[in-house]
Amino acid sequence: MGLKDFQIQGKVAAVTGASRGIGRAIAHGLAEAGAKVVLSSRKLEDLQKVAEEIRGKGGDAFPIAAHNGKIADLENLAKKTVEHYGTIDILVNNAATNPVFGPIIQVDESAWNKIMEVNVRGAFFLSRAAAQVMGEKGGGVIVNIASSAGLRPMPFLGAYSVSKAAVIMLTKVLAVEWAGLKIRVNAVAPGIIETRFSEALWKNETILEEVQKRQPIPRVGQPEEIANAVLYLASPASSYMTGEIMVIDGGGILA
């Protein structure tokens, strides 16, 4: 045992929502550990910038535009990954959306559908496409990015909380059903992380003050702190772990 167990040299990792925030940090972290990284999000231009960053550090990255709410795009993402790199060893389902910040009674049908389509349906169908590849070659790893909001209701994030609770159960179901394919499935549940996606939370002085008073670690997290956990789950270091949810939220869920 040692640092070598965290190496994923030569493995092929696909990361959704990789153009910014947590996804970008995960892509960089996996590339630095030796993986060939497929970057996915809706806009190719944004992905190309991240790919250039990774290549500038000596890494190997390939951008593929795909909408996480469109099954055809996700199936094409898996197909193009195999065409370019030959396989899929690691999948990180990070892409998510939340167009509503307010009471759940204000969430209309289109917003609800969009949240579930991207956060839950997309994660499942891309996982299924990747699992078909992983199963044929003898195994792989899937890491879902859930949220502490999926474990405890978060004010003004009702529909998002429901979607992330579904991602947590999806993680457990897939871990059980795909164990026979030698596919490990785990999840990371971040708290408030300093990204553009969550700026409605950490830029809100009232919420930030509450975090600082309530959490054992009185600050918001950084994307790299989530990337480190993903690297652990994606690597041989976590070889005896499946169906688990790693909560990384400064201890906020304890308060």
Side-chain angles (χ1 to χ4, degrees):
M1 296 295 290
L3 289 177
K4 70 179 189 305
D5 295 298
F6 290 86
Q7 294 300 306
I8 48 175
Q9 193 71 37
K11 297 294 185 181
V12 176
V15 182
T16 66
S19 62
R20 57 189 172 93
I22 290 174
R24 174 180 171 273
I26 291 169
H28 273 275
L30 295 179
E32 288 170 12
K36 302 171 184 177
V37 183
V38 170
L39 311 169
S40 173
S41 74
R42 287 181 302 153
K43 298 180 180 178
L44 185 61
E45 182 181 354
D46 293 340
L47 293 171
Q48 288 172 334
K49 293 176 183 177
V50 180
E52 289 170 6
E53 293 170 358
I54 290 172
R55 291 168 187 156
K57 295 180 179 179
D60 191 341
F62 181 61
I64 302 174
H67 190 303
N68 217 63
K70 297 181 179 179
I71 296 174
D73 278 16
L74 299 176
E75 291 176 343
N76 185 58
L77 170 59
K79 179 182 177 182
K80 284 190 173 181
T81 298
V82 173
E83 287 176 355
H84 188 78
Y85 284 127
T87 191
I88 305 172
D89 298 298
I90 300 162
L91 169 64
V92 182
N93 283 307
N94 168 71
T97 190
N98 182 47
V100 179
F101 184 70
I104 198 168
I105 199 169
Q106 295 178 1
V107 177
D108 61 23
E109 182 180 4
S110 64
W112 177 273
N113 288 343
K114 183 176 182 179
I115 290 168
M116 298 303 163
E117 179 181 76
V118 173
N119 298 5
V120 184
R121 194 178 74 156
F124 168 66
F125 281 101
L126 182 54
S127 294
R128 189 178 72 167
Q132 290 168 346
V133 177
M134 293 175 179
E136 289 179 0
K137 74 179 189 61
V141 178
I142 296 173
V143 182
N144 295 322
I145 305 302
S147 171
S148 60
L151 294 165
R152 185 176 69 180
M154 201 160 191
F156 307 115
L157 293 173
Y160 179 78
S161 292
V162 171
S163 76
K164 290 302 186 177
V167 169
I168 287 169
M169 183 50 67
L170 177 65
T171 299
K172 295 175 181 291
V173 169
L174 299 186
V176 171
E177 293 207 8
W178 293 350
L181 298 175
K182 296 184 179 179
I183 298 173
R184 295 190 299 108
V185 188
N186 291 291
V188 176
I192 301 176
I193 307 300
E194 191 174 342
T195 65
R196 193 171 78 185
F197 182 83
S198 63
E199 66 182 1
L201 298 173
W202 57 266
K203 280 191 174 181
N204 183 306
E205 290 186 10
T206 302
I207 293 174
L208 184 59
E209 286 177 7
E210 181 64 22
V211 167
Q212 292 170 336
K213 286 191 300 183
R214 180 172 56 84
Q215 285 187 184
I217 299 176
R219 62 171 175 83
V220 298
Q222 296 301 313
E224 292 73 19
E225 293 175 301
I226 306 305
N228 290 338
V230 171
L231 175 57
Y232 168 70
L233 293 175
S235 74
S238 62
S239 58
Y240 195 48
M241 185 175 180
T242 197
E244 290 300 323
I245 315 302
M246 290 183 65
V247 181
I248 303 178
D249 70 341
I253 203 164
L254 305 175

